[in-house]
Amino acid sequence: MANKKPYVFFQSALLYHQNGQLSHAVDNYRRALKKNSRFVPAWTNMAIALKQLQRLSDAEKACRNALHLDPHHADAWNNLGIILSGKFDFIGAIDAYRHCVEESPDHYLAWTNLGIALVRTEKVGEAITAFSRALLLEPNYTEALVHLIHQKQQVCDWQGLDPLVARLIRHMQHDLGEINPFAFLFLCHDPRQMRLCAEHFAKRVQDQAQRLPVITPNPEMVPTDGRLRIGYLSGDFHQHATASLAAELFINHDRKSFHIFAYSYGPDDGSSARQELIKSFETFRDVFHESDEQIARKIVSDGIHILIDLKGYTRGARPVIMAMRPAPIQVAYLGYPGTMGGKFMDYIISDEVVLPMKQRQQYSEFPVYLPGSYQVNDSRRKVVDTTECRQHHGLPERGIVFCCFNQTVKITPSIFSLWLGLLQEVSGSCLWLLAFNAEASRHMRAFAAQCGISPDRLVFAPVLPHPQHLARYRLADLFLDTLPCNAHTTASDALWLGCPLITCPGETFAGRVAASLLSALGFPELIASDITQYRHLALDLARDEEKRMALHQRLRQAVASSPLFSGEAFARKLETALVMLWKRHLAGDPPSVLNVRLG
């Protein structure tokens, strides 16, 4: 053994690495380096293996060792950027990626990674330039195309978007590269296309999971204390929209019947929300620094009966954990509004509005139909008590205030054109939007001017802490929803504050959430059958003050009495579903459609 040259150990390390045996790979990279500590490929590859093991500090050291030996090693700079991004050091990552493209200007992967890091530091314009450069270098690189489209949507830069989207759909249909379904749902009107996109992505996730050691949960685990063990898996147990919706659910689970676990692979943001969430769970596992395999093994060790994934394919998700199948029953819920497209998910929590039975075949999961809406809410939302008037927010004292506080990525040129048409029809009205970024505001104002609408009639609200933000809904007359992706958390916020919302449901889960909430509250008249009726409904309510005031009053009464906004009430119906799922499992029945009826 002592006579073995470093490349022999290096070759062994590569084989282990390719087969997903990361710890063995690291051991052999180290053996190679003991033979030759200046062997740069061993340092760079070991850095990647350590990153995959979530040993980020060790990975960074290995990468910096490689760069100390060879400061011009472009791939090492790119790898360092990936590692620093994993540590949420995006400033450092940007610097590393810039070093990479200085050494290798044609490194399209680094240009793409640079764009991603720039997005995380809110430099969207520079990110678009980086993604465009990557596509010039490699026109068929799907990941750069996905990011370019998504960021153009974020800044409402719709020029040249249609051909890019058509190109992306061709890539998706022929599976020409990785397309995250979360980005695709902001573009997609067709649930069949959403399923196809998810299936392609899930195959890649499953391939990654299959390279890891097999883990097997006990399929017939008997609760030792008589309680079902429920695990919630997420990277968003901090100040985040998903956590804010579900916080009251976590607190109100029946501790006599359920032992509730959290597996948190996201960062600790130091917020009060994080501390409250930790206290909400009986067992809170902070697994931020652990690998997918380690987390999956921890879930098995904890004897989780039902594992509920709250992330899906949203930013920062780690779906490989679910693909390793660490629990007998695995459920998709809340964070990602669509199918996962993989065999590793058994059920999706839904309702009859967001997932009509006629669309059942477009989901790889079996629907669990809850009564009312699928969406959980928190009745303890904090809202500041303020007497601020419209003028304080730059709104006209008189006239209709149409609002939409959705993310700009959800605003399409067609829906925005319809809104501008409403401004044209309703004298003295304005459109109140959230100022997510200055470039989006600039593009929307320019678009309005081109359509003959004064840009001054667009009012952009600055981002505020949530309690202050919620109070603003009291000054709005009507909330105008988006399509193909609806308001979700934003819709429940608006309704909870008594602001009527007009929606036009699409065909996908993401396009039917607002209709689900309105149906549960008893306001089907605010759900338009098509986009023409959506426009007529908005005009009718804008022009009829008496009808609008009566609607506001009825909405406030409905909110006060509806179980929709009670996390405690939601806990009871979800728990009913979980017990039904476990009973089916124990009986040996395979997953199937489940309708939950409360007694």
Side-chain angles (χ1 to χ4, degrees):
M1 294 291 288
N3 294 324
K4 279 196 172 185
K5 295 180 179 179
Y7 72 86
V8 176
F9 289 118
F10 182 70
Q11 291 298 325
S12 296
L14 289 177
L15 287 173
Y16 281 124
H17 204 158
Q18 290 166 1
N19 291 325
Q21 296 174 276
L22 300 175
S23 295
H24 289 306
V26 169
D27 288 343
N28 279 273
Y29 287 132
R30 290 198 190 283
R31 286 172 183 160
L33 288 165
K34 281 184 180 179
K35 295 293 180 182
N36 181 359
S37 63
R38 301 183 65 81
F39 191 20
V40 172
W43 283 116
T44 57
N45 283 27
M46 184 170 72
I48 291 299
L50 288 165
K51 193 272 179 186
Q52 291 171 300
L53 286 165
Q54 285 296 106
R55 293 168 56 183
L56 299 177
S57 294
D58 291 338
E60 182 181 349
K61 289 175 186 175
C63 214
R64 291 195 184 280
N65 282 341
L67 288 166
H68 176 73
L69 294 167
D70 183 0
H72 303 291
H73 197 299
D75 285 336
W77 281 114
N78 185 53
N79 292 346
L80 179 61
I82 292 169
I83 292 161
L84 293 174
S85 291
K87 297 178 77 172
F88 292 84
D89 177 7
F90 297 108
I91 301 297
I94 289 169
D95 183 65
Y97 294 134
R98 291 202 189 281
H99 272 91
C100 178
V101 296
E102 284 173 9
E103 298 295 340
S104 177
D106 295 341
H107 203 305
Y108 66 91
L109 295 174
W111 280 110
T112 304
N113 291 336
L114 173 60
I116 294 168
L118 287 164
V119 168
R120 297 303 295 268
T121 57
E122 300 182 359
K123 296 177 180 176
V124 179
E126 293 180 52
I128 287 173
T129 300
F131 295 135
S132 300
R133 180 66 180 270
L135 278 176
L136 281 174
L137 294 167
E138 180 47 74
N140 292 319
Y141 187 42
T142 304
E143 187 174 352
L145 179 60
V146 172
H147 285 292
L148 176 61
I149 291 170
H150 193 66
Q151 295 312 315
K152 282 176 73 71
Q153 289 179 293
Q154 290 280 18
V155 298
C156 300
D157 178 6
W158 301 313
Q159 188 171 7
L161 193 60
D162 287 346
L164 290 173
V165 172
R167 187 167 151 195
L168 182 66
I169 291 172
R170 287 196 299 273
H171 280 228
M172 186 278 297
Q173 290 170 335
H174 299 287
D175 195 17
L176 299 180
E178 183 173 294
I179 299 174
N180 189 311
F182 179 62
F184 195 64
L185 66 80
F186 296 105
L187 304 164
C188 185
H189 293 264
D190 186 343
R192 292 168 298 181
Q193 287 191 346
M194 272 309 315
R195 173 159 189 171
L196 183 60
C197 181
E199 285 176 340
H200 292 329
F201 196 81
K203 183 179 182 300
R204 290 172 169 82
V205 170
Q206 288 163 181
D207 286 346
Q208 290 180 58
Q210 287 170 2
R211 289 196 291 271
L212 297 173
V214 175
I215 59 169
T216 308
N218 182 349
E220 299 179 1
M221 296 176 292
V222 177
T224 55
D225 58 0
R227 298 188 298 167
L228 276 180
R229 293 182 160 227
I230 308 300
Y232 286 98
L233 178 69
S234 180
D236 295 331
F237 290 124
H238 46 239
Q239 193 71 51
H240 189 276
T242 300
S244 68
L245 283 176
E248 194 175 19
L249 161 67
F250 303 143
I251 289 173
N252 281 284
H253 269 304
D254 177 7
R255 296 297 195 266
K256 293 180 180 178
S257 301
F258 300 90
H259 185 157
I260 306 299
F261 292 75
Y263 297 91
S264 173
Y265 57 75
D268 181 349
D269 63 354
S271 65
S272 59
R274 168 75 169 194
Q275 294 309 309
E276 289 176 13
L277 285 163
I278 290 173
K279 295 175 185 175
S280 300
F281 291 92
E282 188 168 348
T283 304
F284 189 95
R285 307 282 195 211
D286 186 342
V287 291
F288 177 59
H289 294 291
E290 298 187 29
S291 68
D292 293 341
E293 180 189 345
Q294 288 171 322
I295 296 170
R297 290 192 182 281
K298 189 158 285 186
I299 292 166
V300 172
S301 176
D302 284 336
I304 297 300
H305 299 102
I306 302 175
L307 183 61
I308 302 174
D309 176 49
L310 297 174
K311 279 291 283 180
Y313 293 136
T314 56
R315 188 167 73 181
R318 293 170 65 178
V320 171
I321 298 167
M322 298 300 284
M324 294 187 74
R325 296 267 357 178
I329 300 174
Q330 301 197 161
V331 180
Y333 181 52
L334 195 60
Y336 171 71
T339 182
M340 296 284 283
K343 297 177 181 178
F344 49 88
M345 301 303 293
D346 303 308
Y347 296 97
I348 181 171
I349 302 295
S350 60
D351 61 57
E352 293 177 347
V353 176
V354 287
L355 202 169
M357 183 57 80
K358 66 180 181 180
Q359 293 182 4
R360 155 75 192 92
Q361 296 306 314
Q362 306 313 323
Y363 292 76
S364 59
E365 309 86 351
F366 287 93
V368 175
Y369 287 116
L370 299 184
S373 177
Y374 86 104
Q375 191 191 79
V376 65
N377 275 280
D378 192 328
S379 65
R380 306 163 307 153
R381 285 178 175 90
K382 295 176 182 177
V383 187
V384 297
D385 188 13
T386 178
T387 56
E388 290 174 352
C389 64
R390 285 185 170 187
Q391 287 177 314
H392 178 86
H393 294 274
L395 301 167
E397 188 175 350
R398 297 181 180 276
I400 295 297
V401 175
F402 296 109
C403 86
C404 181
F405 290 151
N406 284 356
Q407 294 182 54
T408 49
V409 70
K410 295 184 179 183
I411 301 174
T412 63
S414 58
I415 202 75
F416 190 67
S417 296
L418 186 151
W419 294 347
L420 294 179
L422 294 176
L423 295 184
Q424 209 159 29
E425 294 268 5
V426 181
S427 178
S429 63
C430 72
L431 179 60
W432 201 12
L433 303 163
L434 204 56
F436 274 103
N437 60 75
E439 289 187 63
S441 303
R442 179 171 58 81
H443 283 127
M444 283 191 276
R445 284 194 170 110
F447 192 99
Q450 290 171 6
C451 295
I453 301 292
S454 170
D456 292 339
R457 295 179 71 183
L458 305 183
V459 180
F460 290 93
V463 176
L464 293 176
H466 205 234
Q468 286 94 320
H469 167 65
L470 289 178
R472 294 189 285 206
Y473 281 108
R474 295 172 177 147
L475 301 175
D477 291 296
L478 293 170
F479 187 108
L480 302 175
D481 199 13
T482 49
L483 198 69
C485 185
N486 284 175
H488 296 178
T489 306
T490 314
S492 55
D493 284 347
L495 294 170
W496 193 65
L497 268 297
C499 180
L501 179 148
I502 299 169
T503 192
C504 177
E507 295 298 313
T508 67
F509 192 123
R512 304 182 66 84
V513 173
S516 166
L517 297 168
L518 288 166
S519 296
L521 271 177
F523 287 83
E525 68 270 30
L526 295 178
I527 305 171
S529 59
D530 56 34
I531 206 71
T532 301
Q533 189 189 9
Y534 172 102
R535 177 179 172 277
H536 289 324
L537 183 55
L539 285 174
D540 180 47
L541 287 172
R543 290 167 171 166
D544 192 330
E545 183 178 5
E546 185 176 342
K547 183 184 290 187
R548 196 172 63 253
M549 291 302 102
L551 182 62
H552 275 266
Q553 178 63 25
R554 191 158 63 89
L555 179 57
R556 285 191 288 269
Q557 292 171 347
V559 167
S561 60
S562 173
L564 175 66
F565 293 101
S566 168
E568 183 176 1
F570 187 88
R572 300 292 82 81
K573 67 180 181 181
L574 179 62
E575 288 168 353
T576 300
L578 297 176
V579 170
M580 292 172 70
L581 293 180
W582 187 246
K583 285 181 177 177
R584 283 190 57 82
H585 175 75
L586 288 183
D589 296 330
S592 67
V593 176
L594 188 74
N595 282 283
V596 178
R597 296 286 181 262
L598 301 180

